[in-house]
Amino acid sequence: MDDTIYALGTPVPSRAHPGAISVVRLSGPRAAEALIFLTERRAFERGHSARDPALPEPRRMTLRSLYDPKSGEAIDRGLVAWFEAPNSETGETMAELHLHGGRAVVGGALEAIAKLGFCRMAEPGEFTRRAFENGKLDLTRAEAIADLVAAETDQQRRQAMQQMDGALHRLYEDWRTLGLRTLAHLEAAIDFPDEDLPPGIADEVHAGITQLRAEIAAHLDDRRGERLREGLHIAIIGPPNAGKSSLLNLLARRDAAIVSETAGTTRDVIEVHLDLGGWPVVLADTAGLRESGDAIEQEGVRRARARAASADLRLLVLDATSGWQAERDKLVASTERWDGARDIVVVNKIDRASVADADVVPVSALSGDGLPELLGRIEQAAGALMQEGGAPPLTRARHREALVECQASLARALTASEIALAAEDVRLAMRALGRITGTVRIDELLDIIFRDFCIGK
Ligand code: GDP
């Protein structure tokens, strides 16, 4: 981390989308020096030092011209600021250039920095990685930054903000503290086998591990966080020709699925991503649930069944013009884990036949009648499913894997035949927990996490 890195932090301006402003950031020991050479004409030739009085006060935006260090030509005029280490986002000396957001301006500025010869383009996520390396944030907070940038709905943003504020970090660190205290008791018992241990130590160790296991188990059971990051899965199911594809198209307000007169044309699972009242939703249209001799269609039906079984919510779509009550009873009987809270019965084609039943949502995919009521029902069901609990939810498969490993080690510790073995199991459990926050660092893991970031973050 001795080198100084730089990157455009805002989107790359194109001819169609120039920005009003583009921000270039630099981080590293020579960031302030770079700022002098870029803002003081001919300074690069004369070779000014970082102690130059031309440097503005740190953390204060100052209007400056930006020059090409070699030719001395003015590239742009804009606001610049610099931050003294360690009081910056990365913990290093940082500089920011707020440029006009045009292609030539941004291109010229990046080239000017390159001409200095002592800065290099940042890798994806490198700024955040440096912040992590310098102890500015733990891994759960770093991941929250990525989530915040990726957030598309209000609820996703709220979750990312909560995690960025350290809610998950605190939860996992509290568990680690509890585990390490238990470990200390066990180690004391190993180190002083002949001493009289204070009475009740064994009980205390047992109680500590049991409590930890119960808390982690409840956390693992809570799928809200992952649902919110990845979207709630809603499957549209129902007999062929009921209007499932039409309904999906209506909800998506675009032609995502093929609407056809022939039964059984929707052979695969088609997904549409929606924002329903702040909840991210992945709506899947499934093949008509009916027995068929056609191999491709059978496969479609199999996938539809699998999707329906794993969905968070299901929309059961029926045809108002053809005995929908009987179809409903048949489907309810054959659908796995049927549950009034998770399943919404939609009776379609009410432009052709009227439906009066308080338990179903009557709609017309053709005219759009009943759509607001249906959206309201989906939002309500999603809200109930995602109801706020006290503790921050688990958000990533990476965390889940580590916690499952932690649980397994703790379970072994409880049944270990010797104190030394129990201590080793608790130690392994704490290592797994430490991997989540980065207290226990594993370089390959860090590479994977930060690679998913965009350049300039
Ligand atoms: P799917 O097999 O369940 O996906 O059904 P489709 O969406 O392909 O629709 C089957 C047929 O019903 C098509 O001819 C649609 O135009 C028609 N349809 C769908 N929704 C409505 C509706 O609300 N009213 C009427 N009258 N026809 C509809």
Side-chain angles (χ1 to χ4, degrees):
M1 292 196 293
D2 299 339
D3 48 359
T4 299
I5 54 169
Y6 68 100
L8 178 65
T10 44
V12 179
S14 63
R15 185 179 297 145
H17 300 285
I21 296 169
S22 283
V23 179
V24 172
R25 298 196 303 166
L26 298 95
S27 182
R30 299 183 76 176
E33 195 184 339
L35 189 61
I36 293 174
F37 290 144
L38 292 167
T39 55
E40 207 186 323
R41 196 156 172 262
R42 304 273 178 215
F44 190 59
E45 284 170 10
R46 294 200 303 269
H48 273 229
S49 76
R51 295 254 145 258
D52 197 285
L55 210 55
E57 207 181 303
R59 312 178 74 86
R60 171 163 295 199
M61 287 288 226
T62 314
L63 184 66
R64 288 286 160 100
S65 288
L66 194 74
Y67 300 100
D68 181 300
K70 291 273 169 71
S71 68
E73 186 193 357
I75 297 163
D76 194 14
R77 191 170 172 76
L79 291 171
V80 301
W82 75 287
F83 303 83
E84 223 165 356
N87 300 318
S88 75
E89 193 188 322
T90 58
E92 303 176 322
T93 302
M94 285 187 80
E96 280 189 19
L97 312 173
H98 293 234
L99 309 161
H100 289 99
R103 287 202 294 173
V105 172
V106 170
L110 293 176
E111 223 168 275
I113 298 171
K115 281 183 190 173
L116 294 172
F118 57 76
C119 300
R120 83 169 158 77
M121 273 279 233
E123 306 279 342
E126 202 170 2
F127 286 89
T128 313
R129 180 161 186 164
R130 287 186 174 200
F132 167 73
E133 304 281 3
N134 289 322
K136 288 277 171 181
L137 37 76
D138 75 296
L139 286 184
T140 66
R141 284 192 181 93
E143 285 168 327
I145 292 177
D147 287 350
L148 189 64
V149 173
E152 291 189 328
T153 79
D154 289 344
Q155 300 292 354
Q156 287 178 318
R157 189 201 63 227
R158 278 187 197 116
Q159 172 164 295
M161 280 295 294
Q162 187 190 34
Q163 190 169 324
M164 206 169 73
D165 286 342
L168 258 193
H169 178 239
R170 280 190 293 277
L171 181 70
Y172 296 151
E173 280 304 298
D174 285 352
W175 285 344
R176 241 169 64 85
T177 307
L178 183 62
L180 291 175
R181 197 181 308 142
T182 305
L183 187 59
H185 286 320
L186 287 168
E187 276 168 350
I190 298 166
D191 289 346
F192 308 104
D194 300 330
E195 306 279 295
D196 280 335
L197 279 170
I201 279 282
D203 289 346
E204 210 171 303
V205 165
H206 197 275
I209 296 177
T210 308
Q211 184 195 338
L212 200 52
R213 275 182 53 78
E215 288 182 22
I216 294 175
H219 187 63
L220 281 169
D221 267 348
D222 183 352
R223 299 250 167 203
R224 288 174 306 150
E226 288 149 295
R227 275 194 188 117
L228 200 50
R229 274 193 71 240
E230 289 150 26
L232 270 94
H233 284 265
I234 303 186
I236 302 183
I237 56 172
N241 268 332
K244 298 181 297 298
S245 309
S246 308
L247 190 66
L248 177 98
N249 288 342
L250 185 70
L251 287 167
R253 285 190 199 86
R254 65 185 170 104
D255 288 345
I258 317 138
V259 182
S260 155
E261 295 272 359
T262 340
T265 42
T266 312
R267 280 177 172 160
D268 213 332
V269 179
I270 292 161
E271 286 189 348
V272 169
H273 293 250
L274 304 172
D275 175 349
L276 292 183
W279 303 112
V281 160
V282 183
L283 194 62
D285 180 22
T286 57
L289 291 173
R290 64 160 198 189
E291 301 312 321
S292 162
D294 180 63
I296 300 172
E297 195 171 304
Q298 272 177 356
E299 173 59 17
V301 170
R302 195 194 60 75
R303 287 192 204 173
R305 287 236 161 83
R307 174 51 80 98
S310 70
D312 299 312
L313 295 171
R314 288 180 286 215
L315 299 186
L316 170 52
V317 180
L318 302 167
D319 186 338
T321 64
S322 66
W324 63 269
Q325 290 95 339
E327 281 285 357
R328 172 186 60 188
D329 298 344
K330 215 167 74 189
L331 260 167
V332 169
S334 72
T335 305
E336 210 183 313
R337 294 190 294 137
W338 183 263
D339 165 2
R342 279 203 320 143
D343 298 289
I344 299 171
V345 180
V346 181
V347 182
N348 187 33
K349 307 192 188 182
I350 54 164
D351 50 292
R352 290 254 209 91
S354 65
V355 171
D357 187 323
D359 293 335
V360 305
V361 186
V363 301
S364 166
L366 204 64
S367 70
D369 276 349
L371 186 69
E373 289 77 13
L374 177 59
L375 288 175
R377 275 293 296 275
I378 298 175
E379 262 181 58
Q380 193 187 3
L385 204 64
M386 303 293 287
Q387 216 163 38
E388 296 260 341
L394 198 153
T395 52
R396 278 178 191 253
R398 181 181 82 81
H399 305 175
R400 181 172 288 281
E401 278 164 28
L403 288 168
V404 167
E405 200 182 308
C406 175
Q407 282 292 66
S409 295
L410 289 176
R412 272 198 310 275
L414 282 179
T415 56
S417 53
E418 283 173 40
I419 297 178
L421 294 176
E424 182 55 21
D425 285 328
V426 174
R427 211 172 287 123
L428 285 174
M430 292 309 107
R431 271 188 69 82
L433 262 186
R435 278 206 324 260
I436 304 181
T437 56
T439 314
V440 173
R441 54 171 295 156
I442 293 173
D443 287 337
E444 306 88 87
L445 178 73
L446 296 181
D447 290 343
I448 292 167
I449 291 172
F450 290 104
R451 204 173 46 210
D452 284 347
F453 279 70
C454 43
I455 291 179
K457 203 68 225 106

